[in-house]
Amino acid sequence: MASSTSTDLKLELITTGEKAGTWGTITNTNLQILEQAASGYFTQSIAASDLALSLSTFAVSNGKNLYYKFTGNLTGNRVVTMPSGAERVFIVEDGTSRTSNNYTLTVKTVSGTGVTIPAGAKVVLYSDGTNTSLGPITKGYYTIPGAYTAVNGDQLLINTSGSGLGVPVTVTLPASPSVGDEVTFIDSGNAFGSNNLTIGRNSSNI
């Protein structure tokens, strides 16, 4: 029988009596894949395009790392896709720069809806092979450039004095929120102007 493939990391599983003379090479590659999954670090700019991560069979590939840092000045909504079918736990750091166009970063599987990452956050994500879900989160801080639509976990620095922003400042809450979702508003100007922050509830209860 030929080698088979492990489900989550695409390791080569050698059948008894097979691959004579090549066990060393195959085992070393499997160990490198395990090392990548345990401590691998991957960083890439996603400023100009989405990114589809790869789970290559019997090889090291970018979808097998533990830690991902995504960077760049976003020029549109960005989606990072992990292949479906693999159960994974991994960490994502949002190192991107956002613009006044309110662009977002979403991490998902091919078949799932995924997680929209709060600006500047570091999050633990886990995939059941079908969808990606949010685990523990270290929140970042984001100075909003104007009207903004928040995502769960955002910590928003807001200056309602009018310096660089239209007043009142309008923040729209996430659509279809879940119980426990949080958005934090922080006075960054030390002069939170009366009636200068408008919170839009996006057709949902708060």
Side-chain angles (χ1 to χ4, degrees), residues 147-200:
Y148 179 76
T149 299
V151 303
N152 176 36
D154 268 340
Q155 293 193 131
L156 305 177
L157 298 170
I158 302 171
N159 183 353
T160 60
S161 67
S163 177
L165 293 176
V167 174
V169 179
T170 300
V171 176
T172 302
L173 296 178
S176 303
S178 300
V179 173
D181 285 359
E182 293 182 351
V183 176
T184 303
F185 303 90
I186 303 168
D187 176 15
S188 65
N190 199 30
F192 219 86
S194 297
N195 302 316
N196 276 355
L197 171 62
T198 298
I199 300 175

Side-chain angles (χ1 to χ4, degrees), residues 60-86:
V60 172
S61 58
N62 61 13
K64 300 179 182 181
N65 290 282
L66 173 66
Y67 196 100
Y68 295 87
K69 181 177 181 178
F70 300 115
T71 62
N73 186 14
L74 300 188
T75 56
N77 293 333
R78 294 288 169 253
V79 176
V80 175
T81 305
M82 180 73 71
S84 297

Side-chain angles (χ1 to χ4, degrees), residues 1-5 11-19 26 58:
M1 294 178 62
S3 296
S4 59
T5 307
L11 302 171
E12 185 169 359
L13 307 179
I14 304 171
T15 302
T16 301
E18 291 288 315
K19 305 294 184 179
I26 294 171
F58 306 161

Side-chain angles (χ1 to χ4, degrees), residues 111-127:
S111 58
T113 55
V115 175
T116 300
I117 309 299
K122 300 179 181 71
V123 300
V124 176
L125 300 178
Y126 58 95
S127 171

Side-chain angles (χ1 to χ4, degrees), residues 60-109:
V60 172
S61 58
N62 61 13
K64 300 179 182 181
N65 290 282
L66 173 66
Y67 196 100
Y68 295 87
K69 181 177 181 178
F70 300 115
T71 62
N73 186 14
L74 300 188
T75 56
N77 293 333
R78 294 288 169 253
V79 176
V80 175
T81 305
M82 180 73 71
S84 297
E87 297 176 358
R88 294 290 319 282
V89 176
F90 51 97
I91 301 167
V92 171
E93 177 182 349
D94 175 23
T96 65
S97 299
R98 312 298 178 90
T99 70
S100 59
N101 291 305
N102 202 31
Y103 294 136
T104 59
L105 166 60
T106 301
V107 180
K108 62 186 290 293
T109 60

